């Protein structure tokens, strides 16, 4: 039988294909200091209809304090057009105006919300092997942070009619309600390793290959650790630093990188500057389970220009308790 479709008929982008279905989450809402103020129950989908793409989102803002007045939509459904492509995803309003930049299963977006009066930096990474989408939004007035949203999502294909999918979502949201408020704290007493493979893209969104990542980790005190990161493959780097934490603020204290970061629940944003080089790393690291496994999005900059975007999951394996009980004889 001949194919009746035109050769020129628009096809969905790779990312659009990957997000097919209805996504369900309970993102946490944080104030600028990292205080957890509540949740925003969300169902959302990006629907490809050949000549147009419509993104819709239904929210239930379960929050208290001043942020509720700003972000509660009183049940109004978000619905906006998207220009879909593998190069850019352009958001055409009325709810969001701006664009997202896809790197395979990752989209790094920057857009404006007229209703919220905020400029958003949103990062979404799909983890098919985990059945998750790892989501975060930083919300700004110009360069001033005003709030942070973050959380995990699961997908369904027939949620309205499928009781099993409905129960799956209900169970997931219950677990998210408990897990979302947990802070970003790495193993306090156990040494060990994180290992995994990152996909690596250049600044033209072309995949360069993979990098195998090993992070050797050894606590020094209850709030500090010595860390060595080794990357082999598309990115070849080894760097060591001491990291420490005071509440939600994390610092990276050399010798190879210096910088800091702030955690909002299970998510940590940081900037690390490589000593003696015009090279830096901006990262978003997420604790995705109680095993300390990390979902990482690492963006490297050379002379302030984007050079690499790398992302993947690092699995934690403990080796030994290095801060055991002490005694005086």
């Amino acid at each position: 039988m001949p194919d009746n479709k035109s050769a020129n008929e628009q096809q969905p982008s790779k990312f659009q294909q990957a997000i097919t279905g209805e996504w369900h989450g309970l993102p946490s809402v944080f104030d600028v200091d990292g205080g957890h103020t509540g949740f925003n129950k969300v169902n959302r989908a990006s629907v490809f209809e050949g000549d147009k793409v419509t993104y819709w989102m239904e929210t239930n803002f379960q929050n208290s304090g001043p942020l509720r007045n700003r972000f509660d939509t009183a049940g109004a459904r978000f619905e906006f057009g998207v220009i879909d492509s593998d190069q850019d995803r352009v958001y055409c309003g009325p709810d969001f105006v701006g664009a997202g930049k896809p790197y395979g299963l990752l989209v790094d977006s920057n857009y404006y919300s007229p209703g919220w009066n905020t400029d958003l930096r949103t990062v979404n990474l799909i983890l098919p092997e985990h059945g998750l989408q790892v989501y975060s939004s930083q919300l700004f007035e110009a360069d001033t942070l005003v709030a942070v949203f973050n959380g995990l999502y699961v997908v369904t294909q027939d949620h309205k009619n499928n009781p099993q999918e409905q129960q799956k979502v209900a169970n997931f949201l219950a677990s998210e309600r408990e897990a979302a408020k947990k802070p970003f704290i790495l193993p306090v007493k156990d040494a060990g390793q994180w290992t995994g493979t990152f996909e690596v893209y250049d600044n033209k969104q072309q995949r360069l290959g993979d990098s195998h990542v090993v992070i050797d980790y050894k606590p020094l005190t209850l709030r500090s650790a010595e860390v060595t990161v080794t990357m082999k493959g598309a990115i070849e780097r080894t760097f060591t630093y001491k990291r420490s934490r005071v509440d939600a603020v994390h610092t990276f204290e050399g010798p190879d990188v210096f910088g800091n970061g702030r955690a909002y629940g299970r998510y940590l944003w940081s900037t690390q500057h490589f000593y003696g080089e015009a090279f830096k790393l901006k990262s978003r690291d997420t604790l995705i389970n109680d095993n300390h496994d990390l979902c990482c999005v690492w963006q490297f900059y050379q002379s302030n220009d984007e050079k690499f975007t790398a992302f993947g999951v690092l699995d934690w394996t403990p080796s030994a308790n290095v801060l055991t009980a002490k005694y005086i004889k």
Side-chain angles (χ1 to χ4, degrees), residues 74 170 192 214 236 320:
V214 176
E236 293 273 346

Side-chain angles (χ1 to χ4, degrees), residues 126-198:
I126 300 169
L127 303 177
E129 67 278 16
H130 293 80
L132 296 173
Q133 185 173 159
V134 184
Y135 155 84
S136 67
S137 284
Q138 298 165 292
L139 299 95
F140 298 89
E141 291 173 347
D143 291 334
T144 301
L145 185 69
V146 297
V148 171
F149 300 164
N150 65 51
L152 308 179
Y153 282 78
V154 291
V155 67
T156 62
Q157 302 301 328
D158 187 25
H159 180 262
K160 183 178 180 180
N161 302 307
N162 189 322
Q164 289 182 321
E165 289 194 336
Q166 293 168 11
Q167 188 61 53
K168 165 190 166 183
V169 169
N171 293 343
F172 173 76
L173 296 181
S175 68
E176 275 293 278
R177 187 172 290 277
E178 292 301 314
K181 294 176 283 187
K182 295 179 181 179
F184 188 99
I185 299 176
L186 299 181
V188 174
K189 295 185 176 182
D190 287 339
Q193 276 190 343
W194 282 276
T195 58
T197 300
F198 285 2

Side-chain angles (χ1 to χ4, degrees), residues 30-315:
F30 296 90
D31 63 23
V32 294
D33 294 320
H36 187 271
T37 67
F39 297 94
N40 188 15
K41 169 70 176 64
V42 178
N43 300 351
R44 55 180 168 84
S46 181
V47 182
F48 182 86
E49 299 174 300
D51 61 341
K52 65 180 181 181
V53 174
T54 303
Y55 197 113
W56 63 262
M57 183 167 67
E58 297 172 343
T59 64
N60 177 6
F61 209 73
Q62 303 168 6
N63 201 269
S64 59
L67 293 180
R68 177 156 194 172
N69 287 330
R70 181 162 196 162
F71 297 119
D72 199 329
T73 61
R77 175 182 168 114
F78 291 82
E79 195 166 272
F80 56 96
V82 179
I83 300 173
D84 173 53
S85 78
D86 289 312
Q87 190 64 35
D88 294 295
R89 288 173 61 82
V90 181
Y91 312 133
C92 303
D95 302 294
F96 298 116
V97 178
K101 189 175 184 181
Y103 303 85
L105 297 182
L106 171 76
V107 166
D108 186 355
S109 301
N110 181 214
Y111 51 91
Y112 176 67
S113 166
W116 294 341
N117 186 26
T118 54
D119 195 72
L120 290 89
R121 196 279 174 96
T122 296
V123 177
N124 277 310
L125 176 58
I126 300 169
L127 303 177
E129 67 278 16
H130 293 80
L132 296 173
Q133 185 173 159
V134 184
Y135 155 84
S136 67
S137 284
Q138 298 165 292
L139 299 95
F140 298 89
E141 291 173 347
D143 291 334
T144 301
L145 185 69
V146 297
V148 171
F149 300 164
N150 65 51
L152 308 179
Y153 282 78
V154 291
V155 67
T156 62
Q157 302 301 328
D158 187 25
H159 180 262
K160 183 178 180 180
N161 302 307
N162 189 322
Q164 289 182 321
E165 289 194 336
Q166 293 168 11
Q167 188 61 53
K168 165 190 166 183
V169 169
N171 293 343
F172 173 76
L173 296 181
S175 68
E176 275 293 278
R177 187 172 290 277
E178 292 301 314
K181 294 176 283 187
K182 295 179 181 179
F184 188 99
I185 299 176
L186 299 181
V188 174
K189 295 185 176 182
D190 287 339
Q193 276 190 343
W194 282 276
T195 58
T197 300
F198 285 2
E199 295 183 21
V200 180
Y201 290 76
D202 65 14
N203 62 349
K204 303 297 184 184
Q205 298 160 269
Q206 299 301 308
R207 183 167 177 176
L208 300 177
D210 295 330
S211 271
H212 183 65
V213 181
V214 176
I215 300 179
D216 291 294
Y217 175 88
K218 180 182 179 181
L220 302 173
T221 70
L222 297 174
R223 289 189 174 222
S224 65
E226 182 182 71
V227 181
T228 296
V229 180
T230 303
M231 305 182 72
K232 293 187 178 295
I235 300 175
E236 293 273 346
R237 279 268 169 177
T238 299
F239 48 100
T240 297
Y241 54 87
K242 176 187 174 184
R243 68 176 298 151
S244 60
R245 178 183 63 85
V246 177
D247 302 329
V249 177
H250 297 243
T251 56
F252 306 86
E253 302 169 330
D256 297 325
V257 297
F258 291 81
N260 62 18
R262 180 179 280 274
Y264 294 85
R266 299 168 288 173
Y267 288 62
L268 173 70
W269 284 263
S270 70
T271 301
Q272 302 166 39
H273 300 266
F274 287 76
Y275 185 74
E277 301 181 64
F279 198 70
K280 64 186 174 185
L281 164 62
K282 292 187 176 184
S283 66
R284 186 202 75 176
D285 297 323
T286 307
L287 289 165
I288 59 172
N289 55 34
D290 290 335
N291 190 52
H292 293 104
D293 296 337
L294 288 168
C295 173
C296 302
V297 178
W298 291 2
Q299 294 179 301
F300 294 88
Y301 293 80
Q302 181 80 52
S303 302
N304 282 333
D305 292 327
E306 177 191 341
K307 187 172 180 66
F308 303 118
T309 293
F311 52 85
V313 173
L314 299 177
D315 297 321

